[in-house]
Amino acid sequence: MLVRGKADRASRPNLLGDLDIPSGLSASVGISEFTYRKGQEVYSENDPAEYVYQVRKGAVRRYKLLSDGRRQIGAFHLSGDIFGLENALVHRLSAEAVVETSVRLFKRQSLENGAETDANVFHRLLSMTTKNLRHAEDHMLLLGRKSSVEKVAAFLLEMDGRLTSAGLLSLPMGRRDIADYLGLTLETVSRAVNQLQREAVLKFIGKTHREIVILDRLRLSSFDIPG
Amino acid sequence: MLVRGKADRASRPNLLGDLDIPSGLSASVGISEFTYRKGQEVYSENDPAEYVYQVRKGAVRRYKLLSDGRRQIGAFHLSGDIFGLENALVHRLSAEAVVETSVRLFKRQSLENGAETDANVFHRLLSMTTKNLRHAEDHMLLLGRKSSVEKVAAFLLEMDGRLTSAGLLSLPMGRRDIADYLGLTLETVSRAVNQLQREAVLKFIGKTHREIVILDRLRLSSFDIPG
DNA sequence: CGACGAGTTGACTTCTCTCAATGAAGGTGG
DNA sequence: CCACCTTCATTGAGAGAAGTCAACTCGTCG
């Protein structure tokens, strides 16, 4: 299962509040760092939820599997994002590095202790959980009711909003991951992306077709039907 | 989550904790009751989230709409369930009564005040939000990766676990609602349910085909592929 | 009684999946 | 640097699951 860096050396509470990263969460104590190779497992569903993670660099996919191997990715976590916070004893989804990824990690326990005594800490726990819930609610609408092109358009716009590197979308994940996030097959994702490219809504930059420039954001938004 | 026995009986704020209903939440102050007629709106997406609700009798659907009318129901709320808790200023989904439904309602504000001072109240807010998140995570897997029969089987088992009236499933919602919950059409739901009936997995009792007895729970579970 | 809403069923369409072939990119080891 | 291998993306052809459209039945309720 999981190998890990050096982890925790908790000494006092002082949790959550000394990071410069938006919605940052940290402990000035009890932190350690770790780097996962591409494809490496961070934790598996039902593993004890011992740590909470913050992505420093790279990307993580969190997913559930059916017993016959079908996979649903519930979320991608990019630089700055926190994941693995379950408010429970075990993880409900598995997590893997999409590319080489380094994370900060710290003990869940120290967070919970902090929450008991510090309303501020508790407020952040609630706020992060609520953010995940909101994302899940939006994603249910996408999964249940959108067409393949609408799904892909929504995905590109979501990533465009999160991977802000000045006009260039540089996707860390491949077609398979996108498909499992959107409830499609990789072929259908490929066809949808290439359809958008043929229609001059976007264009590819690199040769891997993971670097994308959005040419017509308005038209792309028109595929991402508003609620 | 948290088991609740009789829980604390905090003397003052006395929020959350004097109900005998599982996952009960109440305020001894600021409570009132209301009854909605079948189909009546409780609140709409983006309405200010002024109240939190607990179903006393009946059923509520919470959903999102696309601009062209496609609907995704995110959850049904049955007797005892709490809904409308957003940890935000506005509701992210709309809510309507599925059948005639009475609810307890109380001001969100009083909850938030309680949370600031009472760690116990805060803990329950977090716990309820986490419960909703877990449901949404499971539902994403269903929406994105399950076949129509698997979806219907999972739905029946979910309802069977929640509407415990001794062997008889008495569904408050119609085929259209079920379809919009499962990301299907009502015809596909009808075909799946009737397929299960033909295969002697379940049988209909009333004439409306909303009362169902599960004859072969094991076989029904086999359609609801495990994670 | 009659209108309406809900559920079922059939025929047909369509969207997405499946299977398969091909090509490009990147890594490895000689 | 090159040959080879693996992985990833694209594309086409055909199959299949679910959607659409429509007809019909059966309760319910005014």
Side-chain angles (χ1 to χ4, degrees), chain B residues 8 37 39 46-47 69 79 84 95 133 144 147 164 168 170 197 206 221:
Chain B
D8 60 286
R37 293 184 306 281
N46 295 321
D47 279 356
S79 203
L133 178 57
S147 72
T164 46
L168 177 67
S170 186
Q197 181 255 343
S221 306

Side-chain angles (χ1 to χ4, degrees), chain B residues 109-166:
Chain B
Q109 192 59 51
S110 55
L111 252 194
E112 296 204 332
N113 294 343
E116 308 247 314
T117 57
D118 185 343
N120 211 319
V121 172
F122 212 163
H123 191 245
R124 292 206 193 189
L125 289 186
L126 180 57
S127 157
M128 287 186 290
T129 304
T130 299
K131 182 178 168 182
N132 288 337
L133 178 57
R134 177 166 45 250
H135 180 269
E137 288 164 346
D138 290 340
H139 210 58
M140 286 192 287
L141 177 64
L142 176 147
L143 290 171
R145 287 300 179 220
K146 291 187 179 176
S147 72
S148 62
V149 175
E150 289 167 350
K151 285 176 175 181
V152 169
F155 170 76
L156 292 172
L157 288 169
E158 179 190 350
M159 287 303 147
D160 184 49
R162 294 173 62 192
L163 287 166
T164 46
S165 31

Side-chain angles (χ1 to χ4, degrees), chain A residues 147-148 183-185 187-188 191 207:
Chain A
S147 72
S148 61
L184 298 170
T185 59
E187 292 94 334
T188 298
R191 281 185 248 267
K207 353 196 189 180

Side-chain angles (χ1 to χ4, degrees), chain A residues 92-111:
Chain A
R92 290 187 299 270
L93 290 81
S94 304
E96 288 173 356
V98 172
V99 291
E100 172 160 313
T101 299
S102 49
V103 301
R104 271 186 215 216
L105 59 120
F106 51 90
K107 281 205 172 293
R108 183 178 78 96
Q109 191 60 51
S110 52
L111 253 194

Side-chain angles (χ1 to χ4, degrees), chain B residues 56-74:
Chain B
R56 304 213 60 166
K57 184 171 165 307
V60 168
R61 55 180 173 251
R62 255 175 358 105
Y63 62 91
K64 276 176 171 286
L65 289 179
L66 294 175
S67 54
D68 61 1
R70 283 173 285 175
R71 181 178 68 158
Q72 179 63 45
I73 294 178

Side-chain angles (χ1 to χ4, degrees), chain B residues 53-113:
Chain B
Y53 305 80
Q54 181 175 41
V55 179
R56 304 213 60 166
K57 184 171 165 307
V60 168
R61 55 180 173 251
R62 255 175 358 105
Y63 62 91
K64 276 176 171 286
L65 289 179
L66 294 175
S67 54
D68 61 1
R70 283 173 285 175
R71 181 178 68 158
Q72 179 63 45
I73 294 178
F76 291 111
H77 300 285
L78 310 176
S79 203
D81 293 348
I82 285 162
F83 69 95
L85 174 67
E86 306 286 355
N87 306 318
L89 294 177
V90 299
H91 291 291
R92 291 187 298 271
L93 290 80
S94 304
E96 287 172 356
V98 172
V99 291
E100 172 160 313
T101 300
S102 50
V103 300
R104 269 186 216 216
L105 57 120
F106 51 90
K107 283 207 173 293
R108 183 177 80 95
Q109 192 59 51
S110 55
L111 252 194
E112 296 204 332
N113 294 343

